[in-house]
């Protein structure tokens, strides 16, 4: 349970006092004969319930993305230097950053045996971009020439069959023409939204079928064993696809994602060896995990950020930037990071995470704790006397949200009510529908390693409708700087403009950064060589049975 992808939002980060004997509740249960052992028994990993069915074009949160990453192979992966390297693609080239040629590796097949062809990418991307299909990942295709033709606006009819900037030149060659140069385009292509879709995904009406969403046919390492019935099933079961040409795991062939709604249950299952991999260990259990797991406990840098979200477009109480600054200055990030999170988080002081080029220490001046100035500013800005803090209870966010609430009560003299939502999906649905008007817990994990990914998908004006701009923030100056960064001749030149856009966020605080993540994971004695990549996803081909 992590942050949003691509829109990828953090569901995890449990902050619960966990005991080995605690029974918890609401999560998956062990059937008794699925412990990782022989090659016919699955490796089991914890996961929260995906927000939607398993369709790449409609998946912009971390839980669904984690499952889909096992089923599909992206065009690019990322190396240790955060550089994009070809995966399903043989090569990705451009002479002008505007017209891109993607050559696919020959011989790859779908799980149904059909060959993977360039047209599969064209079909998937056009489907995602078409406003009639209401796909949550549609916004990511906004840079392709012809996106506007598929998005004429609410109440207007789509007449174009697809984006004119997409062309399958032949079975292994995809030509992509952007509306304007974008130096980060190759880096973007590792994201979930850019997976292809087979012909079998579409029904007679041209829509992706529910049947496909329950049992997606991919071209990656694993294929689903049976349909996943969302809301009913407590596991998503997969097996290695024999036709996959990339590296395969040694000593095992089956993977099972166990779905949990309780942090206590998942951590206890790991300690009881009823779970093999847990990639978001509760911070308050770190001391226990270090002792109990020993070398099987892992702590590593993470590119995620935890925020307090602000419904700017949907609640006039927060329109004044001074109100938001006062709330930010009233939060004691250092104490929350060190005490509530047991030192497994760092106080946030920028909208860009330190793990990614572009971060600047102390860039967010209003992120510095200053309770006296906060109260003075809040009163002069006539901030609301009552505040509500929404959060998803399934991720164990109660403790740090309560800590923030206590800060605001003490330092601003206001009434603060934390509001738990049972599942991460529930708060996302409320935000998608623009119904929730309180402050809300939000987080972000990168979709691809670029400073731009902390900016455009969350705060760009175009991301209000189809991206992850849940607060409805809009700024022409911000959007213009993003465009300049996108169109720069090199990533290095583009970074200067992205940092200027970041300066606007640090000044206006459309969200309030609270902490930077670290990844704390653990695994059972039944597996070894567990590695978690930059996108907070397990490198399954490297995992071995112990």
């Amino acid at each position: 349970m992590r942050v949003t992808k691509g829109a990828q939002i953090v569901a995890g980060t449990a902050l619960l006092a966990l005991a080995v004997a605690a029974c918890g509740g609401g999560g998956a249960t062990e059937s008794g004969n699925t412990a990782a052992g022989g090659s016919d028994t699955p490796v089991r990993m914890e996961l929260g319930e995906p927000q939607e069915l398993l369709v790449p074009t409609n998946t912009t949160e971390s839980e669904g993305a984690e499952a889909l990453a096992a089923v599909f192979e992206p065009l690019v992966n990322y190396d240790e230097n955060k550089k994009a390297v070809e995966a399903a693609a043989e090569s990705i080239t451009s002479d002008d950053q505007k017209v891109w040629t993607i050559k696919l590796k020959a011989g790859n097949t779908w799980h149904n045996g059909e060959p993977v062809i360039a047209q599969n990418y064209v079909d998937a991307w056009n489907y995602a971009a078409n406003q009639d299909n209401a796909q949550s990942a549609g916004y990511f295709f906004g840079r392709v020439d012809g996106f506007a033709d598929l998005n004429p606006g609410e109440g207007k009819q789509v007449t174009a069959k697809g984006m004119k900037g997409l062309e399958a030149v032949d079975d292994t060659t995809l030509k992509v023409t952007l509306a304007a140069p974008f130096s980060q385009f190759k880096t973007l292509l590792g994201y979930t939204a850019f997976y292809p879709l087979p012909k079998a995904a579409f029904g007679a009406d041209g829509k992706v079928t529910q049947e496909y969403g329950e049992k997606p046919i991919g071209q990656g390492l694993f294929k689903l064993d049976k349909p996943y019935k969302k809301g009913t099933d407590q596991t998503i079961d997969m097996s290695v696809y024999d036709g996959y040409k990339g590296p395969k795991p040694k000593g095992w062939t089956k993977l099972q994602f166990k779905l949990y709604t309780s942090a206590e249950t998942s951590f206890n299952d790991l300690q009881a060896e009823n779970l093999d991999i847990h990639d978001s260990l509760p911070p308050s259990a770190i001391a226990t995990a270090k002792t109990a797991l020993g070398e099987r406990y892992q702590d590593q840098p993470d590119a995620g950020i935890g925020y307090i979200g602000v419904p700017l477009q949907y609640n006039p109480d927060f329109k004044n930037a001074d109100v938001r600054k006062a709330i930010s200055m009233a939060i004691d990030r250092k104490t929350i990071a060190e005490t509530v999170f047991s030192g497994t988080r760092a106080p946030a002081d920028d909208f860009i995470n330190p793990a990614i080029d572009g971060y600047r220490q102390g860039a967010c001046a209003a992120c510095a704790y200053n309770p006296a100035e906060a109260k003075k500013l809040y009163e002069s800005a006539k901030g609301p006397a009552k505040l509500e803090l929404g959060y998803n209870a399934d991720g164990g966010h109660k403790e740090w949200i309560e800590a923030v609430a206590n800060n605001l009560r003490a330092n601003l003299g206001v009434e603060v009510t934390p509001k738990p939502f049972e599942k991460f999906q529930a708060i996302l649905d409320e935000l998608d529908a623009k119904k929730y008007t309180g402050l809300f817990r939000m987080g972000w994990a990168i979709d691809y390693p670029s400073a731009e990914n902390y900016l455009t998908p969350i705060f760009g004006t175009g991301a209000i409708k189809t991206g992850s701009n849940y607060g409805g923030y809009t700024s022409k100056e911000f959007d213009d700087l993003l465009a300049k960064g996108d169109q720069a001749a090199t990533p290095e030149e583009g970074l200067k403009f992205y940092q200027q856009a970041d300066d606007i966020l640090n000044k206006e605080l459309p969200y309030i950064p609270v902490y930077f993540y670290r990844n704390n994971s653990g695994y059972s004695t039944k597996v070894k060589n567990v590695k978690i990549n930059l996108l907070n996803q397990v490198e399954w081909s490297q995992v071995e049975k112990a």
Side-chain angles (χ1 to χ4, degrees):
M1 296 186 289
R2 296 159 280 298
V3 253
T4 240
K5 233 170 182 167
Q8 232 170 265
I9 296 167
V10 176
T13 334
L15 296 172
L16 302 171
L18 306 180
V20 176
C23 62
T29 57
E30 180 63 30
S31 63
N33 60 356
T34 59
S39 61
D40 60 338
T41 57
V43 170
R44 303 149 303 170
M45 178 178 166
E46 61 80 29
L47 194 72
E49 183 180 76
Q51 183 186 12
E52 307 289 349
L53 292 178
L54 299 176
V55 179
T57 55
N58 201 37
T59 297
T60 54
E61 46 76 40
S62 55
E63 310 310 288
E66 178 83 45
L68 286 169
V71 178
F72 289 83
E73 182 176 52
L75 288 166
V76 301
N77 285 317
Y78 306 102
D79 63 17
E80 294 181 355
N81 297 316
K82 308 179 184 70
K83 301 298 183 184
V85 293
E86 284 76 4
E90 182 69 37
S91 64
I92 301 173
T93 58
S94 176
D95 294 329
D96 59 2
Q97 315 293 330
K98 182 177 180 179
V99 180
W100 295 78
T101 300
I102 301 171
K103 297 287 292 185
L104 303 179
K105 289 179 179 176
N108 286 336
T109 59
W110 292 101
H111 296 160
N112 63 5
E114 295 180 359
V116 178
I117 58 176
Q119 188 62 43
N120 297 142
Y121 288 87
V122 173
D123 292 343
W125 297 4
N126 277 330
Y127 183 79
N130 192 319
Q131 69 177 30
D132 290 346
N133 298 325
Q135 298 295 283
S136 60
Y139 174 73
F140 283 88
F141 299 93
R143 294 185 176 90
V144 178
D145 190 19
F147 178 81
D149 296 334
L150 293 181
N151 292 268
E154 189 174 350
K156 297 182 180 180
Q157 185 175 359
V158 176
T159 57
K161 293 183 178 180
M163 293 182 284
K164 55 190 173 186
L166 285 185
E167 178 188 357
V169 178
D170 55 41
D171 282 353
T172 59
T173 307
L174 177 65
K175 181 180 177 182
V176 185
T177 301
L178 306 180
F182 181 43
S183 60
Q184 309 283 316
F185 185 68
K186 180 178 178 179
T187 303
L188 189 75
L189 295 176
Y191 180 50
T192 310
F194 293 90
Y195 295 160
L197 288 173
K199 293 179 181 179
F202 301 96
D205 59 356
K207 305 286 187 181
V208 172
T209 65
Q210 178 171 330
E211 179 184 15
Y212 181 82
E214 293 176 345
K215 191 179 181 183
I217 297 168
Q219 31 67 288
L221 176 56
F222 292 95
K223 61 180 181 178
L224 265 72
D225 293 336
K226 61 184 180 65
Y228 159 59
K229 300 296 183 180
K230 178 176 161 57
T232 301
D233 289 349
Q234 292 185 310
T235 63
I236 302 175
D237 300 287
M238 305 180 182
S239 298
V240 168
Y241 172 50
D242 290 338
Y244 179 67
K245 293 185 176 297
K248 299 183 180 71
K250 298 178 181 178
W252 61 282
T253 60
K254 291 187 176 296
L255 171 64
Q256 182 183 76
F257 289 103
K258 298 181 68 175
L259 307 185
Y260 291 88
T261 59
S262 166
E264 295 104 322
T265 304
S266 59
F267 184 62
N268 291 341
D269 271 3
L270 178 68
Q271 293 181 92
E273 303 261 310
N274 291 329
L275 184 69
D276 297 307
I277 300 174
H278 197 315
D279 68 346
S280 56
L281 289 175
S284 60
I286 296 304
T288 300
K290 287 179 179 179
T291 302
L293 302 180
E295 292 183 354
R296 293 179 287 112
Y297 165 76
Q298 299 181 109
D299 179 290
Q300 63 187 53
D302 186 292
I305 302 180
Y307 310 99
I308 295 295
V310 184
L312 291 178
Q313 197 174 100
Y314 317 111
N315 190 334
D317 287 345
F318 302 110
K319 287 292 186 183
N320 188 335
D322 284 346
V323 171
R324 308 191 295 273
K325 292 177 185 176
I327 292 172
S328 179
M329 289 189 292
I331 299 173
D332 186 356
R333 293 166 175 78
K334 186 173 185 291
T335 297
I336 290 173
E338 293 178 354
T339 303
V340 181
F341 281 109
S342 304
T344 61
R345 301 291 181 268
D349 57 357
D350 194 4
F351 278 80
I352 298 171
N353 185 289
I356 301 299
D357 291 343
Y359 163 76
R360 294 160 297 165
Q361 185 176 8
C364 176
C367 290
Y369 185 48
N370 191 339
E373 182 61 26
K375 187 169 185 179
K376 185 187 305 181
L377 189 62
Y378 196 79
E379 289 176 349
S380 65
K382 296 181 172 55
K386 296 181 179 181
L387 296 172
E388 186 172 86
L389 289 175
Y391 67 96
N392 54 297
D394 64 337
H397 296 284
K398 178 180 179 180
E399 279 75 2
W400 80 266
I401 289 295
E402 288 281 8
V404 169
N406 287 334
N407 283 164
L408 301 183
R409 292 184 189 110
N411 298 328
L412 301 181
V414 296
E415 181 181 330
V416 185
T417 304
K419 177 181 174 57
F421 287 76
E422 181 183 6
K423 295 181 180 181
F424 189 41
Q425 174 188 341
I427 192 169
L428 288 181
D429 289 345
E430 286 281 304
L431 291 169
D432 275 334
K434 320 301 183 191
K435 291 181 179 179
Y436 188 66
T437 58
L439 298 172
F440 52 90
R441 170 265 153 193
M442 187 52 64
W444 187 258
I446 58 169
D447 308 311
Y448 44 91
S450 168
E452 179 272 336
N453 190 233
Y454 293 98
L455 310 174
T456 309
I458 321 173
F459 304 108
T461 300
I464 294 174
K465 183 178 179 181
T466 57
S468 295
N469 189 344
Y470 292 109
Y473 173 73
T474 181
S475 164
K476 185 178 185 304
E477 182 183 7
F478 177 78
D479 291 340
D480 288 346
L481 285 168
L482 291 180
K484 290 179 180 179
D486 290 353
Q487 297 172 34
T490 65
E492 293 73 21
E493 183 181 337
L495 182 59
K496 298 176 183 177
F497 292 107
Y498 295 141
Q499 287 179 324
Q500 292 177 40
D502 180 48
D503 287 337
I504 293 176
L505 299 183
N506 282 310
K507 179 181 178 181
E508 297 189 355
L509 293 181
Y511 276 9
I512 298 169
V514 179
Y515 56 83
F516 295 129
Y517 279 83
R518 288 191 67 80
N519 182 269
N520 304 107
S521 60
Y523 53 95
S524 76
T525 61
K526 298 181 175 68
V527 294
K528 62 182 181 179
N529 204 30
V530 177
K531 298 184 184 301
I532 297 172
N533 64 26
L534 186 67
L535 302 184
N536 289 337
Q537 295 169 352
V538 176
E539 298 283 359
W540 291 114
S541 64
Q542 298 184 38
V543 175
E544 300 178 47
K545 291 246 180 124

